[in-house]
Amino acid sequence: MPTYPHRLTTEVHSHMKRLNPVPSDLDIAQAAELKPIADIAASLGLGADDLEAFGKYKAKVHLDVIERLKDRPSGKYIDMTAITPTPLGEGKTTTTVGLTQGLGVLGKNAICCIRQPSQGPTFGIKGGAAGGGYSQVIPMEDFNLHLTGDIHAITAAHDLVAAAVDARILHESEVASPQVMFDRLCPPDKAGKRTFSASMLRRLQKLGIDKTDPEELTPKERERFAMLDIDPNTITWNRVIDVSDRFLRRIQIGLGPEEKGKTRYTGYDITVASEIMAILALTTSLADMRERIGRAVVGTSRSGEAVTIEDLGVAGAATVLMKDAIMPNLMQTLEGQPAFVHAGPFANIAHGNSSILADQIALKLADYVVTESGFGADIGMEKFLDIKCRYSGLVPDAVVLVATVRALKMHGGGPRVVAGKPLAFEYTEENLPLLEAGCANLVAHIENVRRFGLPMVVAINQFKTDTPAEIELIRQKAVEAGAEDAVPTNHWAEGGDGAVMLAEAVVKACEKPSNFQFLYPLDWSIKKKIEAIATEIYGAESVSYAPEAEAKIELYTRLGFDKLPICMAKTHLSLSHDPTLKGRPRGYVFPIRDIRASVGAGFLYPLCGEMRTMPGLPTRPVFYDIDIDLETGRVIGLS
């Protein structure tokens, strides 16, 4: 296995003066001395031919690296997850970076793999997502903004498909007969010869028509081929944009005079909610991405058949727009470890994990790979294990569960935690009874990790108001519930030095025997898979289905989608479907109001409440603080 000199960590580590109080994330990031990305790549054994450079400090890594390194043994694979968080988050990304830095302090070759953030929260209410304090991925500005343009590529590919849907409906409505539509799709050239495009041949194969010469098709076959007959009421493919714009949630299109009255209501989602984003995260090769984009379903025909992007003839063009985005982005931590930043699927609607490709490459380049899954273990980790690992074939060696005193007190019945408002005194003063009551949530998540047969460590992300007695109480509860260890970590203020104890515990956990198993087999029915997640992971007593959900179960079973894994769309603020139910809810009915299909990405997603796929801007967005220093050209105010 390749090695890189430990000096790459210690050089940066030794001259970075840590300040107390800790400055803003942006000030820390801009004070860091970045290494050229070529040096970071060289430390992994990658050369110039393996990279597509984007300036001096970030690059894409070519996918042929996977084939070249396929015979190397893989490093240890660690998933970073968390308890049910407060609206403030519990520092999961910061802990991911901190653990990677802590492994570096121990002399281990480590890489972290994290998602690229959307510009929606960056300019809205949350701010950036590059970690924080002295555990960040840098350049922080690039990480949180355009990076290498992947999200823009997804936007372009997704909206090309949306345009193709409405154009096809319009043009089919204009023709006098299916033969006219066939003639328009396959016009004769100057020599009078008709040909099928590659995408058309794929559609013919789907229809079971084993012919390659357009002239050989019968009139009935020509009709089946040419007429998609999309039912506008079934279209599920919205437009997307990477901005929080609540006024685009529902719009009416087709109001122009040339659209001939083909109006319909649709809407915009934020780009990270696009199925193409989920496809990017779950794909394993360029060919696999082409297939996944092609089989994504945009709606159904009036006869009830699924209409795919391949049927529209636009799958190849959408893949072309994604040909660079498929390559993972290489960056670095504040202490010089490599970091892959790739894909950013929603953790509610989609599976909320960075890309399989980044993990695959990282595992061949390092001894330890720390990959982060979104939100709590009930959402991101369950989807990481039951969806991402299923498609990647990778098996994690250990799980790290991030917990905070603050979140556990909230789960114990503490006052409401609201972003932007000061914390109540219960969260800043020692309160062991409140904390002990909240540890029920911690125990539930530990038991869920153990249900998958994996060793795990609890990382207690420490705040300055936490007391030794509170830390010890969490440690006791965690170990009693089955954690290998539970250790406090102070990487936000101390970087890798503050995560050494955590790194040591994780190294030990990775050597423990495991018995990994999925929660459910794919051949179970849709309902049986849903009920396994709801009862075993969320603690529900039973599941109820609205009529819309029952109808979708029948439809998806008929269409053959019932063998896909399940990707629950629910709140991240509770183990249940109800964000107000804290701690460890039990004995409740888990409601499924509808089910939707991301066939290209490869999952069904039941809707368990109102899921927003387009955020709105708050009264005082963080974009008020973001500007540019006109003398230096530096970004200011990014948080």
Side-chain angles (χ1 to χ4, degrees):
M1 176 165 291
T3 59
Y4 58 88
H6 184 48
R7 61 179 174 82
L8 287 178
T9 295
T10 55
E11 280 182 6
V12 177
H13 192 71
S14 61
H15 68 235
M16 176 170 287
K17 182 179 179 181
R18 300 196 189 104
L19 302 177
N20 188 8
V22 176
S24 72
D25 292 349
L26 185 59
D27 286 344
I28 293 171
Q30 291 182 340
E33 293 186 24
L34 291 106
K35 285 192 168 290
I37 201 65
D39 292 353
I40 298 292
S43 74
L44 296 169
L46 300 177
D49 291 343
D50 298 316
L51 304 179
E52 197 75 32
F54 282 74
K56 289 179 63 177
Y57 304 116
K58 57 184 185 290
K60 284 189 166 291
V61 177
H62 292 156
L63 299 190
D64 55 14
V65 168
I66 297 174
E67 178 64 23
R68 179 160 61 80
L69 302 179
K70 66 180 181 180
D71 294 329
R72 287 188 180 178
S74 295
K76 298 294 186 181
Y77 195 32
I78 303 149
D79 179 49
M80 181 70 66
T81 186
I83 63 169
T84 306
T86 69
L88 306 178
E90 307 317 308
K92 185 153 42 62
T93 303
T94 308
T95 307
T96 299
V97 179
L99 172 57
T100 305
Q101 294 175 159
L103 289 165
V105 173
L106 294 180
K108 308 294 184 182
N109 308 327
I111 298 176
C112 64
C113 296
I114 55 181
R115 289 181 293 168
Q116 180 184 353
S118 165
Q119 289 179 174
T122 296
F123 291 117
I125 193 169
K126 183 179 177 183
Y134 287 102
S135 292
Q136 295 186 53
V137 172
I138 51 176
M140 183 256 217
E141 306 96 312
D142 294 15
F143 179 101
N144 286 308
L145 299 174
H146 304 283
L147 195 53
T148 57
D150 294 350
I151 291 181
H152 302 315
I154 292 164
T155 302
H158 184 108
D159 287 344
L160 177 64
V161 174
V165 170
D166 289 297
R168 187 59 174 263
I169 292 172
L170 173 67
H171 294 310
E172 285 191 20
S173 72
E174 292 179 324
V175 298
S177 69
Q179 179 63 45
V180 174
M181 191 66 188
F182 181 82
D183 290 341
R184 290 185 181 182
L185 290 172
C186 301
D189 59 19
K190 292 181 180 179
K193 182 174 177 57
R194 301 177 192 266
T195 58
F196 287 127
S197 70
S199 188
M200 290 175 176
L201 291 171
R202 289 174 183 252
R203 171 159 170 75
L204 288 168
Q205 185 179 27
K206 172 186 171 181
L207 294 173
I209 300 174
D210 188 21
K211 297 176 181 178
T212 58
D213 184 350
E215 301 295 351
E216 294 182 359
L217 268 64
T218 66
K220 184 63 176 176
E221 289 172 337
R222 292 187 179 197
E223 180 177 357
R224 291 180 63 210
F225 165 78
M227 304 302 289
L228 299 183
D229 196 26
I230 299 170
D231 181 350
N233 294 320
T234 68
I235 295 171
T236 56
W237 199 268
N238 284 353
R239 270 88 175 157
V240 298
I241 187 171
D242 195 39
V243 174
S244 294
D245 191 346
R246 69 177 73 241
F247 289 96
L248 292 177
R249 288 172 180 163
R250 184 164 174 81
I251 61 171
Q252 189 175 24
I253 61 172
L255 295 174
E258 296 183 358
E259 282 63 62
K260 303 177 182 179
K262 295 298 175 186
T263 62
R264 70 179 181 90
Y265 285 98
T266 181
Y268 273 79
D269 299 326
I270 198 160
T271 299
V272 290
S274 166
E275 184 173 351
I276 293 181
M277 174 64 89
I279 288 171
L280 176 65
L282 289 170
T283 196
T284 54
S285 67
L286 184 61
D288 179 62
M289 183 171 73
R290 172 66 179 78
E291 290 296 323
R292 286 176 179 272
I293 290 175
R295 66 175 181 255
V297 174
V298 299
T300 60
S301 67
R302 286 184 171 85
S303 62
E305 296 303 314
V307 178
T308 67
I309 295 177
E310 197 71 74
D311 292 329
L312 292 164
V314 72
T319 305
V320 167
L321 290 171
M322 294 291 293
K323 70 179 181 65
D324 294 328
I326 195 174
M327 294 184 285
N329 304 295
L330 180 63
M331 299 181 75
Q332 62 189 285
T333 73
L334 280 170
E335 296 181 9
Q337 287 83 17
F340 279 118
V341 181
H342 197 215
F346 247 33
N348 291 110
I349 299 296
H351 65 294
N353 283 259
S354 62
S355 76
I356 287 173
L357 288 168
D359 289 1
Q360 287 178 329
I361 294 173
L363 284 165
K364 297 300 182 181
L365 296 173
D367 297 329
Y368 292 87
V369 174
V370 186
T371 191
E372 178 192 350
S373 38
F375 293 140
D378 56 315
I379 301 182
M381 185 205 69
E382 186 273 321
K383 296 174 182 180
F384 168 76
L385 297 172
D386 278 322
I387 299 175
K388 183 178 178 181
C389 290
R390 216 183 277 269
Y391 286 123
S392 70
L394 301 172
V395 176
D397 295 281
V399 171
V400 178
L401 183 75
V402 178
T404 63
V405 170
R406 175 181 68 194
L408 292 174
K409 286 181 175 178
M410 178 195 71
H411 286 295
R416 188 180 175 203
V417 176
V418 180
K421 292 186 178 181
L423 289 170
F425 75 90
E426 286 90 344
Y427 297 108
T428 56
E429 297 180 7
E430 185 175 289
N431 190 325
L432 296 179
L434 190 65
L435 178 62
E436 184 169 12
C439 281
N441 185 268
L442 172 70
V443 170
H445 285 292
I446 293 172
E447 290 176 358
N448 284 342
V449 177
R450 301 296 295 167
R451 188 172 277 107
F452 286 94
L454 296 171
M456 58 88 62
V457 172
V458 172
I460 307 170
N461 187 19
Q462 204 166 355
F463 291 78
K464 63 182 181 180
T465 55
D466 299 344
T467 70
E470 290 175 329
I471 298 296
E472 176 59 20
L473 176 59
I474 295 173
R475 192 198 68 79
Q476 290 177 2
K477 293 292 184 181
V479 173
E480 288 171 5
E484 300 296 332
D485 204 349
V487 294
T489 179
N490 195 24
H491 46 277
W492 179 79
E494 299 176 7
D497 287 339
V500 169
M501 287 175 57
L502 175 61
E504 290 172 337
V506 170
V507 168
K508 290 179 183 178
C510 285
E511 301 303 323
K512 296 281 185 177
S514 65
N515 182 30
F516 176 65
Q517 54 190 351
F518 296 117
L519 184 64
Y520 53 81
L522 293 182
D523 59 3
W524 279 6
S525 69
I526 294 173
K527 280 190 174 182
K528 192 172 181 180
K529 285 181 280 197
I530 289 172
E531 287 157 13
I533 298 171
T535 58
E536 295 191 39
I537 301 299
Y538 305 157
E541 183 174 327
S542 61
V543 178
S544 65
Y545 300 88
E548 294 85 350
E550 295 279 8
K552 290 292 180 61
I553 290 170
E554 182 180 349
L555 172 65
Y556 294 154
T557 301
R558 178 176 63 80
L559 293 174
F561 302 158
D562 56 316
K563 304 309 178 191
L564 293 173
I566 299 297
C567 186
M568 291 287 210
K570 80 168 189 76
T571 180
H572 63 287
L573 297 174
S574 171
L575 278 165
S576 74
H577 63 287
D578 183 348
T580 66
L581 296 179
K582 305 302 183 184
R584 187 175 190 175
R586 296 178 187 267
Y588 62 94
V589 177
F590 192 82
I592 306 294
R593 67 176 179 85
D594 198 0
I595 304 175
R596 296 178 186 169
S598 289
V599 180
F603 54 73
L604 302 179
Y605 61 100
L607 299 176
C608 317
E610 292 298 322
M611 291 292 112
R612 291 286 188 199
T613 53
M614 171 57 82
L617 289 171
T619 305
R620 207 285 191 186
V622 295
F623 65 56
Y624 272 92
D625 303 313
I626 299 172
D627 214 319
I628 192 161
D629 186 318
L630 298 178
E631 293 185 4
T632 65
R634 278 190 161 188
V635 174
I636 56 177
L638 191 61
S639 60

